[in-house]
Amino acid sequence: MGDKIGIIGAGPAGILASGIAGSRGKDVTLIEKNNKIGRKLFITGKGRCNITNAISIDEFFEYITKNREFLYSSLYSFSNLDIVRLLKEFNLDTKVERGNRVFPKTDKSSDVIKAFSSFLEKNNVKILPNSEVFNIDFKNNKFLIDVGSNVLSFDKLILATGGKSYPATGSTGDGYIFAQRFGHKIIPIKPSLVPMEITESWVRELQGLSLKNIELKAYIDNKLIHTEFGELVFTHYGISGPIVLTTSSYLNGYGLEKSELRIDLKPALDASQLDNRILRDFQKNPNRWLKNSLNDLLPQRIIPYIIALSGLNPDCIIHQITKEDRKKLGYTIKNLPFHFKKFRPIEEAIITSGGVSVEEINPSTMESKIFPNLYFAGELIDVDALTGGFNLQIAYSTGYLAGMNV
Ligand SMILES: Cc1cc2nc3c(=O)[nH]c(=O)nc-3n(C[C@H](O)[C@H](O)[C@H](O)COP(=O)(O)OP(=O)(O)OC[C@H]3O[C@@H](n4cnc5c(N)ncnc54)[C@H](O)[C@@H]3O)c2cc1C
């Protein structure tokens, strides 16, 4: 009889690990607490699933923000091209969009899940849905998996339970407790790719306003640590949107009490170009009030705040405005300041930063270095990447290596 392999968690990491182990003729059981596989996968990419990123695998590493060296082996063993090829084999066509983001041609994450279901079926993976693992024991060289109604026994085990964000999808952080039980160190978990709460109350009054083509600059102790260009959205608590999520990933390693954020509303113009532009706009209607003179330059809702933060009177007439006043205005437009209060809770984070320490996992096999026959895959491990399909790719690649080596 061959080894019996148990895999906990039917997210992308567990799916890849199961299908690959099955393709090697292993006796594989995939245990999932939800009634279906890929619950989180279903909501990825706003329901479209940003499957991976099409940049070269060498460049890929630039988008991995934590423990990138640990992923060399897995990403080179099973790359972005490999996942596209595998899905194609199960009738899923893909397309590449802005930022090299790969999506299913149909724009439906459910089609990605369908392809993965066929992959599992073809490789004879037994799926146990509605089976929450409550506890894991190890006796007589067997992993004993308590699923409430039953105790299952396996020779080898892959933990692919995901992180702790969006817990309604089933990823409630159980794997951290299981890993600790086998002596593994857990790097404290934190939300990452997460919206930010802002101290200034006026920010909340802009709720719903979306700013495109702007620059978000993050400072710690007055030192610029990251700049991100793109779209930001004001919310009832602060700020969200793609550039905020990405910036959160860069802020994660710092003591955040001293962080300040600034928005450059006109990153394409330097200070003197912006001043010329303001001057030209002002010259068109020199008898207007200031509050009515910036509509061509800025979104209307933000204008009162820009004027107030510049220390100017919104009711002054344009021809009364001095060069010095214009300078203040230009400075505020390029340095709109906010103070970071805190990240939104982990429930709202796209990924969980932290997890099972990479020092105790063999990067070429995903096997535990401290407990033989135990493997890890996916977000449960202490690795992080930016948005753009990189996190799913990490799940497939680490799942692949675990499935190949188990
Ligand atoms: C809103 C949102 C959008 C996202 N969009 C993208 C995107 O477009 N592209 C991208 O690359 N990344 C995206 N991500 C990140 C990506 O979804 C995750 O990084 C990825 O799903 C991690 O895969 P995983 O297999 O490690 O874990 P998960 O997908 O979290 O799967 C873990 C599975 O384990 C199961 N499980 C947990 N505990 C137990 C237990 N005790 N017993 C049984 N089963 C258990 C869970 O139910 C779950 O099904 C997004 C995340 C979110 C929240």
Side-chain angles (χ1 to χ4, degrees), residues 298-311:
L298 298 170
Q300 218 160 13
R301 283 178 67 193
I302 209 167
I303 293 171
Y305 302 100
I306 299 281
I307 295 175
L309 288 164
S310 305

Side-chain angles (χ1 to χ4, degrees), residues 57 61 64 67-80 82 362-366 376-378 381 383 393-402 405:
I57 205 74
F61 292 99
I64 295 171
N67 289 325
R68 83 174 50 138
E69 297 80 12
F70 175 79
L71 293 167
Y72 284 159
S73 201
S74 51
L75 284 169
Y76 280 112
S77 301
F78 190 81
S79 71
N80 45 1
D82 293 317
N362 180 338
S364 314
T365 61
M366 295 296 138
F376 298 96
I381 303 172
V383 287
Q393 183 65 48
I394 291 175
Y396 317 132
S397 299
T398 52
Y400 172 86
L401 269 195
N405 291 286

Side-chain angles (χ1 to χ4, degrees), residues 340-351:
F340 173 91
K341 191 169 168 193
K342 57 178 178 184
F343 289 131
R344 290 296 281 173
I346 199 154
E347 286 75 13
E348 295 176 34
I350 299 293
I351 59 162

Side-chain angles (χ1 to χ4, degrees), residues 266 274 277-279 281-282 285 288-308 310 312 314 318 321 326 329-330 333:
K266 293 286 161 197
L274 178 60
R277 167 72 204 270
I278 296 172
L279 191 59
D281 284 7
F282 282 1
N285 292 295
R288 262 197 192 159
W289 286 316
L290 173 60
K291 65 184 176 192
N292 294 335
S293 302
L294 293 165
N295 292 349
D296 290 346
L297 190 65
L298 298 170
Q300 218 160 13
R301 283 178 67 193
I302 209 167
I303 293 171
Y305 302 100
I306 299 281
I307 295 175
S310 305
L312 302 181
I318 288 298
I321 290 196
R326 253 188 6 249
L329 206 53
I333 291 171

Side-chain angles (χ1 to χ4, degrees), residues 9 11-13 32-34 44-45 50 133 162 166 170-171 174 350 379 389 392:
E32 169 56 51
K33 67 161 83 150
N34 291 318
T44 56
N50 178 190
V133 174
Y166 277 67
S171 319
D174 304 2
I350 299 293
E379 201 177 315
L392 282 176

Side-chain angles (χ1 to χ4, degrees), residues 366-382:
M366 295 296 138
E367 188 175 10
S368 164
K369 286 183 184 171
I370 54 180
F371 204 98
N373 296 327
L374 176 67
Y375 295 74
F376 298 96
E379 201 177 315
L380 174 64
I381 303 172
D382 179 29

Side-chain angles (χ1 to χ4, degrees), residues 153-174:
S153 165
F154 298 101
D155 301 293
K156 299 186 175 190
L157 183 66
I158 302 177
L159 291 179
T161 45
K164 210 178 172 173
S165 67
Y166 277 67
T169 61
S171 319
T172 47
D174 304 2

